[in-house]
Amino acid sequence: LSKEENTVYDRQLRVWGHEVQSRLSAARVLIIGGDSLAAEVAKNLVLAGVGHVGLVDDTPCSQVDFGNFLVTADADPSSSVSHACIRTLSAMNPLISCSSVSLGQQQQPTPSTAQSSAAPPGVPHQASGNLHIDAALLASWDLVLSTCGLSRAAVDSLESACASAEKQLYVCEVVGPLAYAYVHLGHHTYTEKAGQGQQAADAAPAVREVAYPRLLEALSRPVSQCMGRRPVHPLYQVLRVAWQFEEVHGRAPRGELDVGPCHALAEEIEAREGAPVGSISRPMLETLVCSARGPHTEPSLAAAPVAAVAGGLLANSVIRTVSKAG
């Protein structure tokens, strides 16, 4: 670390030390999306000293997402959201570098899916069709994080590309008052502290390795196995319903008209997996479906505070991942 870095990062150096900060300074994180969640994550990573942050969002600033505070009022309306964001981020921490990134040539949506694939604010136009990630692009990044509510097909494509390139992946989204994240770190090695107290301080930290499942496997746990003394969060099964709806209908559920079909799918899953009716939270399912944004819908006011909290948690997780501190 340089003398200037030691001065600027003095407070956090006292928390996690020079080795972790050096790893952060060498890390390269690519963020796909320009919504409020992406802004929160990017801000927290930049202030923590992650060496290089790239942003993907070719949406004009005139259509910026409601909660993206990185796009200032004096931003050129014709400029892209990612360009406006990196100007603000660079001012927040001149010691790191930021760049606006293009995903390259994208597959165009077919006529039958063109209307459903139109992107709401905060979703890059580049990612509104069938996402295609160039392997050469991924080679220059350590970790990819998407916040823009990609389709299941786009997530599968992104996950496969990251797995092939041995890059770590976060797929996350804020939907109204709800937020979720899927993490695929491959075979991740990290250092685990021994605990607290003098004896723990004298002990050598343990090196751990964990293998992360692919998304299809991660979403395969039956409803009956998610209940009991240590229940899984109800949003997990709600997401299973939403993704199955997308598999059947070719689009994500969105709006009141899709609530009924989603309820029917929930009942079908409960019956097939031997769970009592109502095991999948209907109120949470309705909230997810009715809060989902389309290309012409206004953002939920609940999204901004949720993004602030979720963005802090996600950034902390990314910091621990790229620094191998957790």
Side-chain angles (χ1 to χ4, degrees), residues 34-41 65-69 122 147 174 303-304 306-308 311:
D35 57 357
S36 55
L37 182 57
E40 290 287 353
V41 174
D65 182 76
F66 171 76
N68 188 338
F69 55 86
T147 68
V174 169
V306 173

Side-chain angles (χ1 to χ4, degrees), residues 228-250:
R229 296 179 60 185
R230 299 184 64 181
V232 175
H233 195 283
L235 183 56
Y236 172 81
Q237 294 297 343
V238 167
L239 289 173
R240 288 187 68 205
V241 174
W243 283 57
Q244 184 164 326
F245 178 99
E246 186 171 346
E247 184 177 352
V248 172
H249 298 276

Side-chain angles (χ1 to χ4, degrees), residues 199-290:
Q199 185 176 0
D202 295 337
V207 177
R208 307 292 186 189
E209 182 175 336
V210 58
Y212 282 74
R214 297 289 292 268
L215 180 61
L216 188 61
E217 181 183 353
L219 286 175
S220 63
R221 190 171 184 180
V223 181
S224 56
Q225 295 182 14
C226 295
M227 306 165 67
R229 296 179 60 185
R230 299 184 64 181
V232 175
H233 195 283
L235 183 56
Y236 172 81
Q237 294 297 343
V238 167
L239 289 173
R240 288 187 68 205
V241 174
W243 283 57
Q244 184 164 326
F245 178 99
E246 186 171 346
E247 184 177 352
V248 172
H249 298 276
R251 61 173 180 82
R254 182 184 299 133
E256 294 183 3
L257 294 178
D258 289 337
V259 170
C262 284
H263 280 187
L265 278 175
E267 292 177 9
E268 180 183 319
I269 293 173
E270 290 166 343
R272 183 173 65 244
E273 298 179 355
V277 175
S279 299
I280 299 176
S281 172
R282 301 303 193 270
M284 186 172 290
L285 179 58
E286 292 181 15
T287 298
L288 180 78
V289 173
C290 293

Side-chain angles (χ1 to χ4, degrees), residues 39-256:
E40 290 287 353
V41 174
K43 178 255 299 181
N44 290 323
L45 295 182
V46 163
L47 293 179
V50 170
H52 191 101
V53 175
L55 289 120
V56 177
D57 193 344
D58 61 345
T59 307
C61 287
S62 58
Q63 301 174 27
V64 65
D65 182 76
F66 171 76
N68 188 338
F69 55 86
L70 296 177
V71 178
T72 57
D74 61 346
D76 181 355
S78 62
S79 175
S80 70
V81 167
S82 58
H83 277 100
C85 287
I86 62 173
R87 186 180 69 169
T88 304
L89 292 170
S90 297
M92 286 182 173
N93 186 354
L95 297 180
I96 60 93
S97 58
C98 298
S99 61
S100 175
V101 180
S102 172
L103 295 181
Q105 185 176 2
Q106 303 300 304
Q107 300 176 18
Q108 296 300 315
T110 61
S112 61
T113 61
Q115 183 175 0
S116 63
S117 62
V123 179
H125 292 165
Q126 297 163 306
S128 61
N130 296 318
L131 189 69
H132 174 73
I133 300 292
D134 188 354
L137 171 65
L138 286 179
S140 60
W141 302 97
D142 301 313
L143 184 147
V144 178
L145 184 145
S146 168
T147 68
C148 56
L150 297 174
S151 67
R152 179 166 180 171
V155 173
D156 287 343
S157 175
L158 181 58
E159 182 184 42
S160 296
C162 288
S164 298
E166 297 184 344
K167 303 300 180 181
Q168 297 173 315
L169 173 66
Y170 283 67
V171 176
C172 34
E173 184 183 9
V174 169
V175 185
L178 305 174
Y180 70 87
Y182 161 66
V183 181
H184 186 265
L185 305 182
H187 291 273
H188 179 58
T189 302
Y190 65 98
T191 303
E192 184 178 67
K193 292 184 178 180
Q196 298 181 345
Q198 186 60 45
Q199 185 176 0
D202 295 337
V207 177
R208 307 292 186 189
E209 182 175 336
V210 58
Y212 282 74
R214 297 289 292 268
L215 180 61
L216 188 61
E217 181 183 353
L219 286 175
S220 63
R221 190 171 184 180
V223 181
S224 56
Q225 295 182 14
C226 295
M227 306 165 67
R229 296 179 60 185
R230 299 184 64 181
V232 175
H233 195 283
L235 183 56
Y236 172 81
Q237 294 297 343
V238 167
L239 289 173
R240 288 187 68 205
V241 174
W243 283 57
Q244 184 164 326
F245 178 99
E246 186 171 346
E247 184 177 352
V248 172
H249 298 276
R251 61 173 180 82
R254 182 184 299 133
E256 294 183 3

